[in-house]
Amino acid sequence: MNTVQWILFSIICLLLFSKDKASSIDAFVLVIAYLFYASFIVKAPDILYYSYAAFMNLIVGIILQPRNTHAAICSYSLVLCNVLGFFLWYNYYDPDLYDNIALLILALQTITILPTRLLNGLRCYIQHIMAKSRIFNGIQTRVTMYKTQAPKETKR
């Protein structure tokens, strides 16, 4: 595992202690999958590696489907990524494309299991950054436009 994968694994481990029950259950499923992957699948020979990894991602997707469809879709896309990795391995290509796509999908999966209030807090924090930047200067005076109502016409 590289540094970014360790960071994602650490974030998922921290989500185990979340007050949001759905996020902690999803994090538990992903931690178990990561531990199984690191213990058994990494050591498998080449053709079995991609087969076992795809099968594990399929099972994780099926488990996550009732609670979090976005995380399950990420797991299903990892199955297709493993098929791509197998074809790259079979044709003696460099596995960098496979590694980068898998890492991107894992990062998206980690984002999808974050609690919604954390995501809302991040969105609020980003809005405050935008409000304090030079482009969106809140100190400048603005012209306020008011809509005036036209007088009603009376019937004669």
Side-chain angles (χ1 to χ4, degrees):
M1 290 175 68
N2 62 20
T3 307
V4 178
Q5 288 174 328
W6 279 110
I7 291 170
L8 291 175
F9 184 70
S10 301
I11 292 170
I12 293 171
C13 285
L14 288 175
L15 286 174
L16 287 173
F17 305 108
S18 173
K19 291 181 183 176
D20 187 18
K21 187 174 182 177
S23 292
S24 62
I25 291 172
D26 294 344
F28 178 74
V29 170
L30 291 179
V31 164
I32 295 298
Y34 273 128
L35 292 175
F36 183 79
Y37 172 81
S39 299
F40 300 110
I41 295 177
V42 171
K43 299 173 186 174
D46 296 325
I47 193 166
L48 293 177
Y49 168 80
Y50 294 108
S51 302
Y52 291 161
F55 185 67
M56 183 198 67
N57 288 319
L58 182 65
I59 291 173
V60 169
I62 291 171
I63 292 171
L64 291 176
Q65 182 71 35
R67 278 185 295 287
N68 193 339
T69 56
H70 298 292
I73 289 171
C74 290
S75 289
Y76 297 144
S77 60
L78 281 171
V79 172
L80 297 175
C81 184
N82 282 310
V83 172
L84 172 70
F86 172 74
F87 284 120
L88 290 174
W89 167 79
Y90 187 75
N91 293 320
Y92 299 103
Y93 289 119
D94 193 28
D96 287 340
L97 179 66
Y98 164 74
D99 294 337
N100 291 330
I101 291 173
L103 188 61
L104 176 70
I105 294 170
L106 289 173
L108 288 173
Q109 189 174 37
T110 304
I111 291 170
T112 58
I113 67 167
L114 289 175
T116 54
R117 51 179 199 280
L118 178 63
L119 290 174
N120 289 338
L122 290 175
R123 182 175 37 223
C124 182
Y125 184 68
I126 291 170
Q127 287 175 350
H128 289 298
I129 290 173
M130 294 296 288
K132 292 179 183 178
S133 69
R134 296 169 123 212
I135 299 170
F136 302 102
N137 190 356
I139 298 173
Q140 294 177 353
T141 59
R142 303 281 188 251
V143 175
T144 306
M145 298 178 68
Y146 296 100
K147 183 177 178 182
T148 57
Q149 294 181 352
K152 292 184 181 180
E153 293 183 25
T154 57
K155 293 183 182 179
R156 296 178 195 188

